[in-house]
Amino acid sequence: MARQHRPDVLWIDKGHYVSRDTLQAIKKETGAFLVCYNTDDICYSRNGWRLHLPGIKEYDVYFTTNRFNVEELKALGARQVILSQLGYNRELFKPHVVTVAEAQRLGAAVGFIGHWEPATEEIFLLLVSLGLPLRVRGSSWRKARNKRVLRSVIEPSAVPKEEYATAIISTKINLGINSAQSRNLSSGRTFEIPAAGGFLLAQRTIEHQGFYNEGREAEFFGSAEELADKARYYLKHDTEREKIAAAGHERCIASGYSWQELMVGLVKSVEDACLK
């Protein structure tokens, strides 16, 4: 494809299966400026980076959303590393009217939509023991180690893409729990939940605190106990919860957190790098 189209810039998302030999051949035969955009942790071994890692030094610009990877990529020979962020699709995640039937079918008092991890399961085990009304959805939750304890709250099936935003809007408190395995300090949910108009209760991290003002545009927690306390509070204070959700949505719009807007800045970074 590179031989056929002779690109000036070749943008590769993640590039799990693009070998160093392939990158070298493309550069030699087309002179293309090579860009990698990766939202995964290169040090999480289960993701299978065997082909990817040797080719890191061939990219002219490497975008990563994992701040821990910045120095690790440089140590592997990356030429220029730029820390980026995740975002949301503004065509999919926006406030809209939800019917009573949709709210009953897709909503929750406290909800989490995402994949299973041991650390996340531990949080939910404690929340269940504290009696928090919880609904957990995601296809990988069949891996849960304590299914007997969690069987009343987990649904090991994915929420269809076309219903995801509606599920967020229908849920009073949406949990933003990051991947501990990938050392994430934010996630797609960080932006998708407020963008859809949902209330975000997320882990207190340096990234979350930079994206939203705590207590005004989102709420944060540092432990499962604090999560439970804040969830109980906001379940009883609808007006405060809805005000924060509305402010979080406005922050998404004002700060340009959509992928459509973020790409403008990423393309500008590539253009600047090409001119160096």
Side-chain angles (χ1 to χ4, degrees), residues 6-269:
R6 314 295 296 183
D8 295 313
V9 176
L10 180 62
W11 178 292
I12 297 175
D13 274 356
K14 191 178 295 187
H16 260 185
Y17 307 110
V18 184
S19 68
R20 185 180 186 185
D21 289 345
T22 299
L23 295 172
Q24 289 175 332
I26 290 171
K27 176 152 287 193
K28 180 179 179 180
E29 297 185 36
T30 72
F33 189 88
L34 302 180
V35 178
C36 182
Y37 186 85
N38 186 11
T39 61
D40 282 346
D41 184 356
I42 61 168
C43 293
Y44 180 40
S45 60
R46 287 191 183 180
N47 284 341
W49 298 105
R50 181 179 61 83
L51 290 177
H52 182 83
L53 295 179
I56 285 173
K57 59 186 66 175
E58 303 300 331
Y59 291 102
D60 296 287
V61 171
Y62 196 114
F63 291 106
T64 178
T65 59
N66 188 306
R67 64 179 55 239
F68 298 106
N69 280 177
V70 173
E71 293 304 319
E72 292 161 347
L73 285 162
K74 291 178 181 178
L76 289 169
R79 301 179 185 185
Q80 182 178 359
V81 183
I82 299 177
L83 180 64
S84 183
Q85 68 177 75
L86 294 165
Y88 71 95
N89 187 330
R90 64 186 180 196
E91 300 302 320
L92 295 176
F93 297 94
K94 52 189 176 183
H96 59 266
V97 176
V98 176
T99 67
V100 173
E102 287 175 326
Q104 291 176 341
R105 181 169 60 88
L106 296 169
V110 181
F112 176 79
I113 301 173
H115 70 276
W116 168 86
E117 282 189 11
T120 311
E121 180 176 341
E122 288 302 314
I123 293 174
F124 292 155
L125 285 171
L126 181 55
L127 296 182
V128 168
S129 73
L130 294 173
L132 202 69
L134 184 64
R135 185 179 187 184
V136 179
R137 285 164 282 183
S139 58
S140 60
W141 279 91
R142 57 179 52 90
K143 299 177 184 177
R145 299 167 179 173
N146 296 275
K147 292 184 179 67
R148 185 181 60 80
V149 178
L150 296 173
R151 63 186 175 187
S152 64
V153 300
I154 61 173
E155 299 171 25
S157 59
V159 176
K161 180 181 71 173
E162 61 272 15
E163 294 185 331
Y164 185 25
T166 302
I168 290 172
I169 297 169
S170 303
T171 297
K172 292 183 178 181
I173 296 175
N174 293 273
L175 300 182
I177 299 175
N178 304 321
S179 170
Q181 292 174 332
S182 295
R183 302 181 294 173
N184 288 343
L185 299 179
S186 60
S187 69
R189 287 178 292 276
T190 300
F191 308 100
E192 293 162 353
I193 291 169
F199 177 90
L200 173 65
L201 177 55
Q203 288 168 310
R204 187 180 291 106
T205 69
I206 186 173
E207 291 185 6
H208 282 158
Q209 289 173 313
F211 293 133
Y212 303 105
N213 289 309
E214 182 171 1
R216 288 188 290 168
E217 298 165 336
E219 267 294 1
F220 304 138
F221 63 89
S223 66
E225 290 81 3
E226 186 180 10
L227 185 165
D229 288 343
K230 287 194 171 182
R232 290 194 188 98
Y233 176 84
Y234 284 107
L235 286 174
K236 295 177 182 178
H237 296 81
D238 294 345
T239 301
E240 286 186 55
R241 187 184 71 245
E242 291 165 4
K243 183 178 179 181
I244 291 172
H249 173 75
E250 291 303 317
R251 176 65 182 271
C252 279
I253 304 301
S255 297
Y257 290 156
S258 75
W259 286 119
Q260 289 88 336
E261 293 163 290
L262 289 171
M263 278 302 300
V264 174
L266 297 177
V267 170
K268 179 63 166 57
S269 295

